[in-house]
Amino acid sequence: MDSPQSLFAQGDEDLQVMKAGAMLRKVKSRSWKKQRHFHLQDDGQTIWYKSRWAGTGHSTFSVADVEVVREGHQSEILLSIADEFPADLCFTLVFRGRRSNLDLVAESPSEAQVWIRGIRKLIQNTESMNDKERLDQWIWDWFQKADKNKDGRMNFKEVRTLLKMMNVDMNEEYALRLFTMADKSESGYLENEEFVQFYKMLTEREDVWRVFQDYSRDGQTLTLAELEDFLKQEQQEGERSQEHAQELIDRYEPSENAKKHGAMSIDGFQTYLVSPEGAVLDPKCLTLHQDMSQPLSHYFICSSHNTYLMEDQLRGQSSQEAYIQALKRGCRCVEVDCWDGPNGEPVVYHGHTFTSKILFRDVITTLGEYAFKVSEFPVILSLENHCSMEQQRVMAQLLDTILGDTLLRAPLDRLVPQELPSPQDLKGKVLLKAKKIGGLEESETLTDEVTDEVSDEDETDPKSPSAEALCLNDKKSKFSRELSDLVVYCKSVHFHSFEYSRLHSKCYEMSSFSESKARKLAKDTGAEFVRHNSRQLSRVYPSGMRTDSSNYNPQELWNVGCQIVALNFQTAGLEMDLNDGLFSQNGCCGYVLKPDFMRNSDFFDPERPQDRDGYTSLHLSIQVISGQQLPKLNQKEGSIVDPLVRVEIYGVFQDQAKQETSYIDNNGFNPLWNETLNFIVHVPELALVRFVVEDYDKASRNDFLGQFTVPFTCIQPGYRHIHLLSKDGTVIPLFSLFVNIKISELTTEV
């Protein structure tokens, strides 16, 4: 049996050379450069490497986990050894999620090119696989894991081992029956197609079959009318059901005969249900579909705190790579903490800590290169300025020369705005957020420098370690005219009160709030905060006491319309799941339009949502039917997960809720729950729904297996699959939940 990738590799010269292997230098730092033997394994998917001194120890990674290959000195580590190894020997593998890059140096330029071309070809082939090819690859991977003696076939003992590896606790009698049914040759072994048949029997979906039977009169196919009825009744598709039914048959039905008769088989039906069209997240939400012509203050903006950090903020590494990763995830507001550096060069790091330092010049170069690769809408550069006048002038010069025309230097049309411009107006522009001398109306009449308080975060968070250190030294700091002139629509100002802002503040003035201050304002004066944020930008950042780079819950700040709710992108967990969930919509462009009741002057108090005009609460019913192919955390042979599903609602205070199913003993392969969870949602426009799967443990905390977070307004009702993500936010192949979702207006108490 050959996998799609191994068949692909057989006909390619570069991949054959990679199979033979090569000595490449793995580089971790300027002083850590060690040779490792790398080779592509026979599956055409796994790259294996080891030290010549490591005995049997080795490491592997899948090409499917590699996002891109960069040529030359395109990482900080490889740049640091540029004097020792020329660019044509060097390349970097960038992995998905939060995994560190792998920097490699080949023995010759031709050898480097073989590996660069080869891995790129494998990535492209993986990404272009259709669903059948992906499944074939998955089956082949399992076959290889189970075929312990590598004779290309499996006996029953190996099958029993395979079932444990796949999270299946099946009684021996039933397992033997499946094995015997698949063993058509009666040889006592499963080979090639026999193993495929065994896998197919193992993965038969009774849950999907039951739904199919409910609408199929003959029990074999769904006619066009029956499929239309299913789409109308269950998927709540209404008038477009007839047209869509035909589209689904054309797209997903594998049988030409069924297609010819305008019908769908169980195979086609299941393929539709596991496709993006059958997913819980409406594919239309994944496209850029919102109005992008409203003022900036009318959008939630994907925002990062301490963007330069890869780890914690006491001893963590500062890196340009952190900016690349954030921008690739759709981040539109990045932070730069600037301090005086040696040789007149400003540096970026978390001041008064042991975090490493990188050059401001390199950060801005990275921003210029990556700012608009994922989204064309504006990037806000939040500047925490701790530099002397001399180095501020250097910063201004670097911003000007490196960013060129992408840096916004003056108001659009040279007019003083009455409201902020839109993301559409500011496409392809970098906006500087910092202190400014005077305002847009009077900037030409002021002196060349101003004495003011230190950076935004230090002025509003006295608990910040860097703030305390600065207070001991010099509470006042000067700002240069050159840097000030580059601030246009994001002038940092001290927040006095909502009344003061309403009477005196300009639309281009914005304030930063520590999480504790923002939370207090949200709790005490939520409606005022919402009104304030309809006209001006607000930035919220984590407490300075979060030295481990943990995050706060962003939802309560979105509830009052705060646009720039900055999180530590390097720290995985619930808070970043919510952030990724909110910004998964609208083409992942980093801007999400706020609900209309948060953009206009109407009264909205998140503490009393029922007081707003047009208020209607909704009933959300989620039948958790089954799970498929859950990952196995504990690799011990006898260990099988006991999964449960929890559904969590995040939104206004009245909507916060959690419910969970019971746990299923020893079945991580195809657990069946058939349990219904019910919720009432008062403000669906602000709600996020998070599906979490855990491995139940009665003696300690449950283990996280996967999650998926979706905006309530993007949920597709009906029978849907939820394709779960790892803690890192990467897709786990074939791991899904099957649910039936119903949404209705609430007429009576549930």
Side-chain angles (χ1 to χ4, degrees):
M1 177 190 286
D2 290 312
S3 73
Q5 282 284 57
S6 63
L7 287 170
F8 174 71
Q10 285 169 19
D12 187 277
E13 190 176 324
D14 288 332
L15 301 183
Q16 290 305 309
V17 173
M18 287 170 63
K19 279 188 175 185
M23 293 300 292
L24 303 173
R25 276 187 180 84
K26 180 182 175 183
V27 186
K28 286 188 177 180
S29 68
R30 188 168 174 81
S31 58
W32 198 103
K33 307 178 286 283
K34 299 190 178 178
Q35 287 203 319
R36 298 285 183 263
H37 184 261
F38 283 76
H39 79 257
L40 176 66
Q41 293 193 312
D42 289 340
D43 62 0
Q45 180 83 7
T46 306
I47 292 177
W48 177 102
Y49 65 96
K50 66 172 283 188
S51 160
R52 69 178 73 177
W53 316 114
T56 57
H58 66 274
S59 300
T60 62
F61 62 86
S62 171
V63 172
D65 295 332
V66 181
E67 187 172 353
V68 72
V69 184
R70 295 190 201 142
E71 275 186 76
H73 298 141
Q74 288 203 57
S75 76
E76 289 155 273
I77 289 172
L78 291 179
L79 272 170
S80 74
I81 58 167
D83 56 342
E84 190 177 351
F85 298 105
D88 58 6
L89 299 181
C90 300
F91 60 100
T92 300
L93 304 187
V94 180
F95 291 93
R96 301 180 192 279
R98 291 175 174 83
R99 182 172 171 178
S100 299
N101 295 348
L102 181 58
D103 291 301
L104 298 169
V105 179
E107 293 294 318
S108 68
S110 59
E111 186 175 69
Q113 281 303 310
V114 164
W115 283 82
I116 291 166
R117 285 194 307 264
I119 295 174
R120 282 177 175 168
K121 281 185 256 191
L122 289 171
I123 293 170
Q124 186 178 8
N125 190 56
T126 300
E127 290 175 347
S128 63
M129 280 184 189
N130 59 35
D131 289 338
K132 183 183 181 306
E133 288 169 331
R134 286 182 201 281
L135 185 57
D136 288 346
Q137 181 71 44
W138 178 259
I139 294 171
W140 195 90
D141 290 344
W142 279 120
F143 188 91
Q144 290 302 302
K145 288 174 186 173
D147 183 15
K148 294 292 186 186
N149 59 10
K150 302 302 174 192
D151 62 354
R153 56 187 189 170
M154 281 204 307
N155 59 34
F156 183 64
K157 184 180 176 185
E158 288 174 323
V159 166
R160 292 288 290 151
T161 304
L162 168 70
L163 292 174
K164 295 282 188 191
M165 291 164 66
M166 295 175 87
N167 254 330
V168 183
D169 185 24
M170 186 182 290
N171 72 60
E172 191 153 337
E173 185 182 341
Y174 182 58
L176 184 59
R177 191 162 89 228
L178 285 184
F179 182 90
T180 306
M181 287 166 66
D183 182 17
K184 301 290 187 191
S185 62
E186 299 182 359
S187 64
Y189 292 92
L190 298 184
E191 303 183 41
N192 297 332
E193 293 309 312
E194 291 176 335
F195 178 74
V196 173
Q197 182 60 31
F198 172 80
Y199 184 88
K200 197 167 182 183
M201 287 189 290
L202 193 63
T203 54
E204 277 180 356
R205 295 281 304 275
E206 274 190 48
D207 50 353
V208 173
W209 177 253
R210 284 196 201 103
V211 178
F212 183 83
Q213 291 291 303
D214 285 344
Y215 284 86
S216 171
R217 190 173 290 109
D218 67 4
Q220 299 301 310
T221 60
L222 290 172
T223 65
L224 187 63
E226 288 167 346
L227 180 56
E228 182 188 340
D229 191 30
F230 169 77
L231 295 175
K232 194 174 286 183
Q233 298 298 324
E234 301 293 351
Q235 311 297 73
Q236 299 181 29
E237 291 195 5
E239 293 305 313
R240 71 178 292 261
S241 298
Q242 184 174 0
E243 179 188 347
H244 195 210
Q246 187 59 58
E247 288 173 5
L248 293 179
I249 290 170
D250 293 341
R251 196 170 296 138
Y252 299 113
E253 177 50 52
S255 164
E256 289 301 324
N257 188 47
K259 264 188 191 175
K260 200 190 307 179
H261 290 90
M264 180 175 268
S265 66
I266 180 64
D267 287 342
F269 186 65
Q270 185 166 321
T271 303
Y272 150 61
L273 285 176
V274 298
S275 76
E277 283 188 87
V280 70
L281 176 59
D282 189 339
K284 292 194 290 292
C285 285
L286 294 172
T287 62
L288 183 67
H289 66 281
Q290 294 180 346
D291 177 8
M292 302 304 289
S293 63
Q294 302 211 23
L296 276 182
S297 55
H298 289 187
Y299 298 84
F300 297 120
I301 303 171
C302 188
S303 306
S304 161
H305 174 251
N306 287 352
T307 313
Y308 47 89
L309 287 179
M310 299 289 282
E311 301 159 38
D312 68 72
Q313 51 196 58
L314 283 182
R315 298 177 179 275
Q317 178 192 358
S318 302
S319 170
Q320 294 140 248
E321 194 62 42
Y323 286 93
I324 297 172
Q325 296 300 328
L327 291 165
K328 279 192 332 196
R329 293 178 74 159
C331 182
R332 297 287 87 191
C333 179
V334 297
E335 184 181 12
V336 185
D337 276 4
C338 304
W339 301 80
D340 280 359
N343 307 316
E345 283 267 6
V347 293
V348 175
Y349 80 113
H350 198 58
H352 307 287
T353 67
F354 297 103
T355 58
S356 62
K357 300 172 183 177
I358 51 178
L359 293 177
F360 178 79
R361 173 194 303 273
D362 292 340
V363 169
I364 302 307
T365 300
T366 299
L367 182 64
E369 186 175 349
Y370 288 92
F372 303 106
K373 287 199 170 182
V374 167
S375 170
E376 58 189 347
F377 295 107
V379 170
I380 298 170
L381 181 60
S382 181
L383 197 64
E384 294 300 319
N385 176 13
H386 306 274
C387 289
S388 62
M389 288 288 287
E390 294 74 19
Q391 294 211 9
Q392 286 182 56
R393 292 187 180 110
V394 174
M395 286 161 59
Q397 185 181 13
L398 290 170
L399 286 164
D400 182 64
T401 54
I402 294 171
L403 295 179
D405 291 340
T406 61
L407 180 65
L408 189 76
R409 294 175 172 79
L412 301 177
D413 302 323
R414 301 279 169 181
L415 298 173
V416 176
Q418 297 307 303
E419 66 176 16
L420 287 167
S422 70
Q424 184 71 32
D425 295 331
L426 295 166
K427 266 187 184 178
K429 293 294 183 185
V430 174
L431 279 59
L432 187 64
K433 183 194 88 67
K435 301 282 175 130
K436 183 173 179 66
I437 303 169
L440 295 178
E441 301 85 352
E442 56 200 5
S443 57
E444 298 304 316
T445 64
L446 296 173
T447 59
D448 280 351
E449 59 185 66
V450 67
T451 300
D452 203 344
E453 294 180 10
V454 292
S455 75
D456 283 353
E457 294 197 8
D458 296 330
E459 71 165 303
T460 53
D461 187 7
K463 293 180 182 176
S464 162
S466 58
E468 288 175 7
L470 281 162
C471 289
L472 293 173
N473 296 317
D474 181 12
K475 177 74 185 215
K476 300 292 182 180
S477 180
K478 292 180 177 179
F479 296 88
S480 78
R481 158 69 66 186
E482 293 86 347
L483 203 54
S484 168
D485 284 349
L486 300 179
V487 178
V488 184
Y489 293 122
C490 298
K491 176 188 175 181
S492 296
V493 297
H494 178 73
F495 176 78
H496 297 281
S497 69
F498 290 127
E499 183 181 10
Y500 180 91
S501 296
R502 192 167 60 252
L503 295 174
H504 303 291
S505 293
K506 311 292 185 185
C507 67
Y508 56 81
E509 293 178 333
M510 61 175 291
S511 300
S512 289
F513 303 89
S514 69
E515 59 173 286
S516 56
K517 181 164 186 180
R519 272 190 182 136
K520 188 172 189 323
L521 288 169
K523 189 171 184 344
D524 296 345
T525 50
E528 283 289 299
F529 215 163
V530 171
R531 189 177 290 119
H532 173 87
N533 286 327
S534 68
R535 183 170 178 267
Q536 290 177 257
L537 294 175
S538 292
R539 175 175 174 269
V540 184
Y541 58 90
S543 161
M545 302 307 287
R546 292 183 181 271
T547 53
D548 59 351
S549 291
S550 60
N551 281 309
Y552 56 96
N553 188 329
Q555 184 68 52
E556 42 191 314
L557 290 318
W558 292 329
N559 289 343
V560 290
C562 293
Q563 303 87 352
I564 301 174
V565 181
L567 298 178
N568 292 304
F569 270 46
Q570 73 273 30
T571 306
L574 162 67
E575 298 81 11
M576 276 306 299
D577 292 343
L578 297 179
N579 196 76
D580 291 344
L582 176 67
F583 292 104
S584 63
Q585 60 186 309
N586 205 29
C588 296
C589 75
Y591 285 82
V592 169
L593 189 63
K594 293 197 275 190
D596 57 357
F597 54 79
M598 302 185 93
R599 308 193 305 261
N600 55 36
S601 56
D602 290 351
F603 177 87
F604 173 68
D605 184 348
E607 295 288 317
R608 296 186 54 80
Q610 63 273 22
D611 291 349
R612 72 179 170 96
D613 291 342
Y615 163 78
T616 305
S617 58
L618 297 178
H619 173 221
L620 171 65
S621 168
I622 300 173
Q623 181 191 12
V624 180
I625 301 171
S626 65
Q628 292 75 46
Q629 301 184 40
L630 283 58
K632 186 171 179 177
L633 297 180
N634 189 335
Q635 294 306 318
K636 288 179 185 171
E637 191 168 311
S639 172
I640 294 173
V641 302
D642 305 322
L644 63 82
V645 177
R646 187 169 58 254
V647 177
E648 305 169 347
I649 311 290
Y650 294 89
V652 298
F653 179 74
Q654 290 184 35
D655 288 343
Q656 308 278 357
K658 296 179 183 180
Q659 290 185 42
E660 63 185 39
T661 67
S662 54
Y663 67 91
I664 305 292
D665 271 322
N666 287 343
N667 188 349
F669 188 71
N670 55 0
L672 198 65
W673 288 278
N674 277 321
E675 295 182 35
T676 300
L677 311 177
N678 291 292
F679 301 90
I680 296 169
V681 180
H682 299 274
V683 188
E685 299 90 340
L686 286 173
L688 295 168
V689 183
R690 184 172 183 252
F691 299 86
V692 188
V693 183
E694 291 180 344
D695 180 9
Y696 173 76
D697 190 327
K698 64 182 176 187
S700 62
R701 193 173 178 180
N702 294 349
D703 289 322
F704 173 90
L705 293 176
Q707 70 83 36
F708 189 78
T709 304
V710 60
F712 186 99
T713 54
C714 293
I715 288 176
Q716 293 198 102
Y719 286 97
R720 302 293 173 186
H721 278 88
I722 300 164
H723 301 280
L724 291 122
L725 306 175
S726 70
K727 192 173 183 180
D728 255 356
T730 54
V731 174
I732 305 171
L734 301 184
F735 177 18
S736 65
L737 293 177
F738 186 43
V739 298
N740 185 13
I741 297 176
K742 290 184 168 65
I743 299 171
S744 57
E745 286 194 10
L746 193 67
T747 51
T748 57
E749 285 297 321
V750 176

